[in-house]
Amino acid sequence: MRRLSLRLRLALAGALAIVVALVIASIALTALFAAHVQRRAEAELSVQLDQVVAGLGRDADGTLELQNPPADPRFDQPLSGLYWQIVVEGALLRSRSLWDHVLPLPPDELPDGHVHIHILPDQADGSLLTLERSVTLPPSLGSERVRAAVALTTADLRQARADFLRDLVPYNVILAIALIVAGWVQLFFGLRPLAEVGKRVLAVRSGQQKRLGDDFPKEVLPLAIEVDALIDAREAELERARRRAGDLAHGFKTPLQALLGEADRLRKNDQNEAARAIEEIADAMRRHVDRELTRSRLAGGTTKGKATVAPVARNIVSVVRRTPDGSALDWQIAVPEDVCVALEANDLTEALGVLIENASRHATSLVTISAARRHEMVEIDVLDDGPGMAEDRIDEFRLRGMRADESGHGLGLAISTEIAQAVGGALKIENMSPGLRVTLQLPAAQRDPP
């Protein structure tokens, strides 16, 4: 459940609530319908009971009999489910439908004219809805006390309830589908602001916009305001970090110049070994300062820059060709002119320059630089024909603070990795036997509209 989307969770919960509600409503409606049917049946039995009592009379011999029986033909059909019975003067009068059975009336005392309602067992293992009344006959009929009853099988009531439920189910299914679809539509429109928040957060992360904005419904607006405030606070902190890094770099410039001046003085005094050691220390310090400046500049993780790879690669190669290592190599640049990356030109120069410089130091005769766009990424390959790198050292070069004498490829590769990762890219190394392929993956810049 934790992995389900909010929309799917609400949809499933809403669908379940609708189904449960309709099931409860169906049960309640069926019970209400059954109660209504029973009341109607009791009203009909009450009328027939009145007819039974009113139809009593005496024949020529003075015997009490039902001279005007109810007109319902079911009273004459054996075991039809509708019966009447009269107990008077110790005698028993009953409808033809009862055949040779007797209604098992309970031995209760009935006030004159009152009606009692019973549920009695049926001869067919069912039950009977029974209305019973005790009546004192008029003097013309002998003033006898009569106990009359009419009964209806409840199987008919149960069948009516089952028929009602069967007819109700299709309508409830249609209603459930309609309500679930309506709930989905409501969720779609109701949660659109949250989806818009996600899109704008992605746009902020990719550098397409700076803030989420305030054009949201009032329920979502506080979230957007807090996110924008968090972005403001983060940018302010990053700006302070950049300023501190810049101050640190400027603070190191004077000591580094002093060290280089001291190295030059030592070299003039023929102390070349000491001068070289000081220059190496100063160069290492400068590289570390450059690395931290790059990291602070890219700390935001996004960039709106755009750089074309081909001219940057040509400029770097033109510089490396002037070095002793680069002048002896054959350089091949196969980079399309329309390949652009979402990175400032200076940052691309620093990241790619390290790779090209390393290739010039380790290549035997040839360095090939190529680039191609792969979906939303640009892959820049720098391939040399040198001895390559030990397999167990391929991943080690990216370790924070790795020393140049540990990898043989310098601190610069770590800088290239951090530049790539800061904008969502990566750096890959692969031995080609012979040679080494280093692939710089960077996000592609958005194409300008035509």
Side-chain angles (χ1 to χ4, degrees):
M1 284 295 293
R2 292 182 179 179
R3 296 181 179 272
L4 295 180
S5 68
L6 182 60
R7 178 180 285 109
L8 185 56
R9 289 185 184 188
L10 292 175
L12 291 177
L16 180 60
I18 289 171
V19 171
V20 171
L22 288 179
V23 169
I24 295 175
S26 298
I27 295 174
L29 287 174
T30 303
L32 182 63
F33 175 79
H36 173 73
V37 169
Q38 182 167 331
R39 285 195 299 269
R40 295 287 299 176
E42 291 172 358
E44 181 182 351
L45 290 176
S46 179
V47 172
Q48 291 170 343
L49 182 60
D50 291 340
Q51 292 177 355
V52 167
V53 173
L56 286 173
R58 292 188 181 271
D59 59 10
D61 297 332
T63 303
L64 194 66
E65 63 179 0
L66 187 63
Q67 296 178 344
N68 297 310
D72 195 315
R74 288 179 293 174
F75 286 115
D76 295 326
Q77 181 181 351
L79 304 178
S80 64
L82 182 61
Y83 316 107
W84 62 263
Q85 176 178 290
I86 300 174
V87 179
V88 60
E89 299 176 347
L92 178 66
L93 304 178
R94 56 190 171 187
S95 64
R96 179 179 176 82
S97 57
L98 265 177
W99 201 245
D100 58 350
H101 296 281
V102 177
L103 296 178
L105 297 175
D108 56 347
E109 293 293 333
L110 294 172
D112 193 43
H114 282 224
V115 176
H116 281 189
I117 299 175
H118 308 289
I119 301 296
L120 303 179
D122 191 5
Q123 58 268 26
D125 296 330
S127 58
L128 297 172
L129 175 63
T130 305
L131 265 68
E132 175 192 8
R133 177 185 294 171
S134 179
V135 180
T136 300
L137 297 177
S140 60
L141 295 178
S143 301
E144 297 289 341
R145 191 172 181 82
V146 175
R147 191 178 184 185
V150 292
L152 175 68
T153 178
T154 58
D156 294 342
L157 305 183
R158 291 195 300 270
Q159 186 61 44
R161 182 175 58 186
D163 292 342
F164 175 80
L165 182 60
R166 185 175 59 252
D167 293 339
L168 183 64
V169 167
Y171 293 98
N172 277 351
V173 170
I174 295 174
L175 180 60
I177 294 174
L179 291 176
I180 290 173
V181 171
W184 273 93
V185 173
Q186 181 180 8
L187 284 175
F188 176 78
F189 287 102
L191 295 180
R192 284 183 69 180
L194 292 181
E196 183 64 22
V197 169
K199 291 180 181 179
R200 295 194 188 183
V201 169
L202 182 61
V204 170
R205 185 172 181 269
S206 63
Q208 297 177 6
Q209 65 183 60
K210 291 184 176 181
R211 299 292 182 273
L212 299 185
D214 56 0
D215 53 336
F216 289 102
K218 63 179 182 180
E219 293 82 3
V220 183
L221 185 58
L223 174 62
I225 293 175
E226 290 299 324
V227 171
D228 286 345
L230 182 61
I231 294 174
D232 291 336
R234 185 169 179 264
E235 287 189 351
E237 183 63 28
L238 288 175
E239 184 60 30
R240 287 193 294 269
R242 292 189 186 103
R243 287 198 297 268
R244 287 196 297 267
D247 294 341
L248 178 63
H250 288 295
F252 270 106
K253 282 185 178 181
T254 300
L256 287 175
Q257 290 297 330
L259 284 175
L260 292 175
E262 184 66 18
D264 185 61
R265 186 183 64 79
L266 291 173
R267 195 178 300 279
K268 290 179 180 179
N269 293 332
D270 295 329
Q271 297 181 17
N272 294 329
E273 191 67 28
R276 184 166 55 254
I278 292 176
E279 288 173 348
E280 289 178 355
I281 293 173
D283 183 64
M285 293 175 64
R286 180 183 59 80
R287 283 178 175 271
H288 278 287
V289 170
D290 290 343
R291 180 186 182 187
E292 293 305 318
L293 285 175
T294 300
R295 292 180 62 189
S296 65
R297 185 173 64 252
L298 296 174
T302 60
T303 178
K304 291 187 176 180
K306 180 178 180 181
T308 305
V309 178
V312 172
R314 287 195 295 266
N315 291 337
I316 297 172
V317 170
S318 66
V319 174
V320 177
R321 281 182 187 272
R322 299 188 181 97
T323 64
D325 293 326
S327 61
L329 299 174
D330 181 17
W331 295 86
Q332 294 184 3
I333 303 176
V335 180
E337 294 294 332
D338 60 344
V339 175
C340 300
V341 296
L343 193 66
E344 297 289 346
N346 291 337
D347 296 326
L348 176 61
T349 299
E350 185 169 0
L352 186 57
V354 170
L355 307 184
I356 295 176
E357 182 183 355
N358 283 335
S360 69
R361 290 202 305 267
H362 297 89
T364 301
S365 61
L366 175 65
V367 176
T368 301
I369 304 170
S370 60
R373 179 164 179 160
R374 304 279 190 267
H375 303 293
E376 299 301 321
M377 301 296 290
V378 170
E379 295 185 353
I380 306 173
D381 291 333
V382 179
L383 175 63
D384 64 68
D385 59 352
M389 183 187 295
E391 290 293 339
D392 59 348
R393 307 301 300 277
I394 285 182
D395 292 330
E396 294 183 8
F397 80 97
R398 287 174 292 189
L399 294 177
R400 182 187 301 272
M402 187 169 190
R403 293 166 55 92
D405 58 351
E406 290 178 329
S407 67
H409 287 75
L411 182 66
L413 288 180
I415 297 177
S416 296
T417 300
E418 291 183 354
I419 292 176
Q421 291 177 345
V423 293
L427 189 69
K428 296 183 178 180
I429 295 180
E430 180 183 6
N431 276 321
M432 302 303 294
S433 299
L436 186 73
R437 183 202 302 272
V438 182
T439 302
L440 181 63
Q441 293 181 332
L442 297 172
Q446 293 185 347
R447 292 186 173 94
D448 296 330

